[in-house]
Amino acid sequence: MLAWLLIAGVNGVAQKALSQEYINPETTQEIEVKGDNIIPLSSSLSPEEPMSQVTSVSQLKDVQPNDWAFQALQSLVERYGCIAGYPDNNYRGNRALTRYEFAAGVNACLDRVNELITTATSDLVTREDLAILQKLQSEFAPELATLRGRVDNLEAKTAEIEANQFSTTTKLSGLLIVGIQGRTNNRGDVNPRDGQKDTDDAGTNINVISLAQLYLTSQITPGSYLFTGLLDGKGKTSPRFTNSVSRNDVFLGYEFPTDSLIVSDLNFHWLVTNKLAVMVGTEGVSMPAAFRGPNRVESAATGPLSYFAQRNPILNMGYGHGGIAIDWQFAKRASLQAIYSSYQPGNPGKGSGLFDGTTITGVQLLLTPTDTLDLSLYYVNNYASDGCLLTFVGDECLTTVNTTTGKSAPLQTNAVGATLTWQISPRISAGAWGGYTKSYIPGQSGSVETTNYMVFLNFPDLFAKGNLGGIYVGQPPKITSSDLPVGNNVPDFINTGLGRAGGQPGTTTQIEAFYRFQLTDNISITPGIIHLIQPGNTPDSDSVTIGILRSTFSF
């Protein structure tokens, strides 16, 4: 009888120590972020504190008098007091247990029996009970010894970790992206832009783009780590129109051709407090890395296909390499990110370097009013030594190249934007962003203005768990007005070569749709299509349609 009582009771004793099922909302971070942000997501959750010893079977809410083990539990509680439940006052008696868990429970009850004997309450223990307990103790002696050995090993390992907690530990991760794409035939009105289609593009090119990245995350202290990234990219989308306006008519998120293996990231992350983190380095200190993205599927590897559909192009501005960034979680549902970064921090000289070249200063306020709503507001100040904002999307070079000097005038730019996403349901999310920039040549009159926008729908777990569908429609950055000194205005320079004041004659619209098949946790395949209307903001250019098949492997 006691054996059956123990079988019913040990389940609760062992579960109390081993279960990790509880989720305490207070231990999770307030705002979900991407893994490459400055403040990472918590990697584990701490279980709740176990409840006190059960003194009455009535304390267990899920144990009823008509349950087959009710009397067994009641007897163990009243006679031996070696039953415990969960913090929510549930017993969960249907859970299976291992022999080790059973041995641990037997040991707990034996300790209780010995306590009763030594305190002169041996009348509660019968001779038959003692005989059964001795037999069980003998039968499970190997398991009890193993359990004691495991505890000793865990204590030794814990002591070793505590003694060497400042030792460097490095984790290797990486990804490989391979994409195949081809476009329809199209002709463009490019040079000069006079209403005549002067390109001969059969559009038969089918090409391959690959991107390989390796990351080393080296833990320096419990609150800091060094992040190193290596990158090698091959191939690019083609053919493209040849003028400066539409050179970025389609740029894919994983399109990054390099001549050789390069260092893409070299930065140090330090969690100053639980709410404040700092990132500093010579590579990879950029707004996409430092600012939390409100679009939760943002990823060139597993999210939208084009570079434009990743985020507001304002947040790509300056393409920072080295600098410093901070991330401050100043309230439960509000955080502030800020950055100062340089395009060529390691090449000091006129027009380059940490302070004299293309530099950016940016700040973002990220709000999460509810669990389903994300809102980010951002401001960026950029100095471009050659007049190119380095967003690689739409109109990014906003001053013309002087035919005599071969250079374009520098620009100081102020940019503002906002992004909103709404999780309508677990299977549908909607979002939109908009951006505005105003730039001027230092010391000269006039300015050039651009706008951009995007609206999108994401469909997580579409047709199968782990898959993702998406539809994105937007306008890449477009020069809406430009009244810089004559000779510097891009739209009219392409039209007539004179560079007089004026905006773009047309408006590019990009339509993108994709569907990601998540084959395994590490492998996905994403077919998609991108359609451009009036590429290069030119009304007389043919539309462009590109078919894409992206495959991604990560580890």
Side-chain angles (χ1 to χ4, degrees):
M1 177 62 182
L2 183 59
W4 282 108
L5 292 177
L6 289 172
I7 291 174
V10 166
N11 189 23
V13 177
Q15 266 192 321
K16 176 187 67 174
L18 301 178
S19 177
Q20 300 291 324
E21 296 177 357
Y22 305 124
I23 296 178
N24 182 356
E26 296 301 320
T27 65
T28 61
Q29 197 172 4
E30 289 85 357
I31 298 178
E32 289 190 18
V33 297
K34 290 174 25 180
D36 57 354
N37 288 123
I38 301 178
I39 298 181
L41 283 171
S42 301
S43 59
S44 62
L45 299 175
S46 300
E48 296 181 8
E49 291 296 324
M51 68 182 296
S52 304
Q53 180 70 47
V54 174
T55 58
S56 171
V57 73
S58 62
Q59 292 177 251
L60 303 173
K61 295 188 299 184
D62 58 345
V63 176
Q64 304 300 324
N66 58 348
D67 289 337
W68 71 272
F70 179 81
Q71 291 183 349
L73 291 171
Q74 187 178 41
S75 178
L76 281 173
V77 170
E78 294 175 355
R79 296 183 63 188
Y80 300 107
C82 56
I83 292 295
Y86 283 94
D88 58 358
N89 290 336
N90 283 315
Y91 181 65
R92 301 185 185 181
N94 292 325
R95 179 181 176 272
L97 75 161
T98 66
R99 286 173 62 85
Y100 288 120
E101 292 172 326
F102 183 70
V106 170
N107 189 60
C109 283
L110 285 173
D111 289 342
R112 177 58 179 160
V113 169
N114 289 331
E115 180 184 348
L116 293 172
I117 292 173
T118 58
T119 56
T121 56
S122 57
D123 57 316
L124 294 176
V125 185
T126 66
R127 184 179 301 275
E128 291 78 8
D129 289 345
L130 289 176
I132 294 173
L133 288 173
Q134 288 173 350
K135 182 178 179 180
L136 288 171
Q137 187 175 19
S138 175
E139 181 180 350
F140 285 94
E143 284 79 5
L144 290 171
T146 301
L147 189 62
R148 284 193 294 270
R150 286 187 173 187
V151 172
D152 292 341
N153 288 336
L154 286 173
E155 290 178 348
K157 289 181 180 179
T158 300
E160 181 181 357
I161 291 173
E162 291 177 350
N164 299 279
Q165 59 180 333
F166 292 102
S167 63
T168 301
T169 313
T170 300
K171 178 182 178 181
L172 175 66
S173 58
L175 63 87
L176 173 65
I177 305 172
V178 178
I180 302 174
Q181 48 276 320
R183 70 170 64 196
T184 59
N185 60 334
N186 60 282
R187 300 182 64 199
D189 175 18
V190 294
N191 232 350
R193 197 160 51 181
D194 55 3
Q196 301 297 318
K197 297 176 183 178
D198 40 23
T199 63
D200 186 12
D201 180 6
T204 57
N205 291 32
I206 297 177
N207 58 314
V208 178
I209 296 176
S210 66
L211 181 71
Q213 291 180 281
L214 289 176
Y215 300 112
L216 298 171
T217 305
S218 302
Q219 198 78 30
I220 307 300
T221 71
S224 67
Y225 64 92
L226 179 67
F227 186 69
T228 306
L230 302 175
L231 182 148
D232 182 58
K234 306 291 184 185
K236 60 182 181 179
T237 53
S238 63
R240 288 182 177 173
F241 296 149
T242 56
N243 67 48
S244 61
V245 170
S246 54
R247 66 176 185 169
N248 298 323
D249 51 5
V250 172
F251 199 85
L252 299 179
Y254 51 91
E255 187 173 346
F256 197 92
T258 61
D259 295 330
S260 59
L261 186 68
I262 66 170
V263 177
S264 60
D265 295 272
L266 185 59
N267 45 71
F268 178 73
H269 298 241
W270 177 32
L271 192 61
V272 183
T273 71
N274 289 335
K275 302 297 183 181
L276 178 65
V278 175
M279 175 171 67
V280 61
T282 59
E283 288 290 344
V285 183
S286 61
M287 285 186 285
F291 287 6
R292 308 189 196 185
N295 184 2
R296 302 183 185 186
V297 304
E298 174 185 315
S299 170
T302 58
L305 294 163
S306 70
Y307 196 52
F308 175 41
Q310 298 299 320
R311 66 192 69 87
N312 194 321
I314 287 175
L315 298 177
N316 296 326
M317 192 179 297
Y319 196 72
H321 287 264
I324 184 171
I326 65 168
D327 190 349
W328 178 30
Q329 186 81 39
F330 65 88
K332 183 177 181 179
R333 292 185 175 272
S335 65
L336 187 71
Q337 294 86 46
I339 187 173
Y340 176 85
S341 185
S342 170
Y343 179 64
Q344 293 180 310
N347 184 25
K350 188 175 182 180
S352 63
L354 188 59
F355 301 105
D356 194 33
T358 295
T359 58
I360 60 144
T361 303
V363 62
Q364 174 182 254
L365 175 64
L366 182 60
L367 306 173
T368 306
T370 69
D371 291 340
T372 60
L373 200 63
D374 294 317
L375 171 64
S376 65
L377 307 170
Y378 32 89
Y379 164 78
V380 179
N381 181 275
N382 171 260
Y383 176 77
S385 58
D386 61 356
C388 291
L389 304 183
L390 298 180
T391 62
F392 303 103
V393 175
D395 290 348
E396 59 147 358
C397 290
L398 307 182
T399 57
T400 62
V401 176
N402 188 294
T403 55
T404 302
T405 63
K407 298 180 179 180
S408 54
L411 280 179
Q412 189 76 47
T413 299
N414 291 291
V416 293
T419 303
L420 177 69
T421 61
W422 176 30
Q423 190 75 33
I424 301 173
S425 73
R427 298 297 182 91
I428 302 176
S429 67
W433 74 61
Y436 167 81
T437 71
K438 186 172 184 178
S439 312
Y440 62 92
I441 301 173
Q444 298 190 32
S445 62
S447 64
V448 52
E449 301 177 13
T450 75
T451 62
N452 81 86
Y453 74 86
M454 176 72 80
V455 294
F456 56 88
L457 288 171
N458 292 316
F459 304 94
D461 298 329
L462 183 63
F463 302 131
K465 187 174 179 58
N467 293 353
L468 174 69
I471 300 174
Y472 287 64
V473 180
Q475 172 207 296
K478 167 192 170 181
I479 297 174
T480 56
S481 69
S482 182
D483 59 356
L484 299 171
V486 174
N488 290 281
N489 300 288
V490 169
D492 185 66
F493 185 82
I494 298 175
N495 295 347
T496 66
L498 299 177
R500 298 168 300 188
Q504 291 285 25
T507 300
T508 299
T509 301
Q510 176 173 315
I511 305 170
E512 176 176 340
F514 66 91
Y515 182 72
R516 185 191 74 212
F517 295 89
Q518 195 68 40
L519 303 181
T520 69
D521 290 341
N522 305 98
I523 301 174
S524 66
I525 296 178
T526 309
I529 189 170
I530 298 174
H531 183 69
L532 287 181
I533 302 171
Q534 297 187 14
N537 298 302
T538 304
D540 297 305
S541 290
D542 290 344
S543 296
V544 176
T545 303
I546 301 179
I548 304 163
L549 182 64
R550 178 188 66 194
S551 58
T552 302
F553 169 73
S554 62
F555 66 93

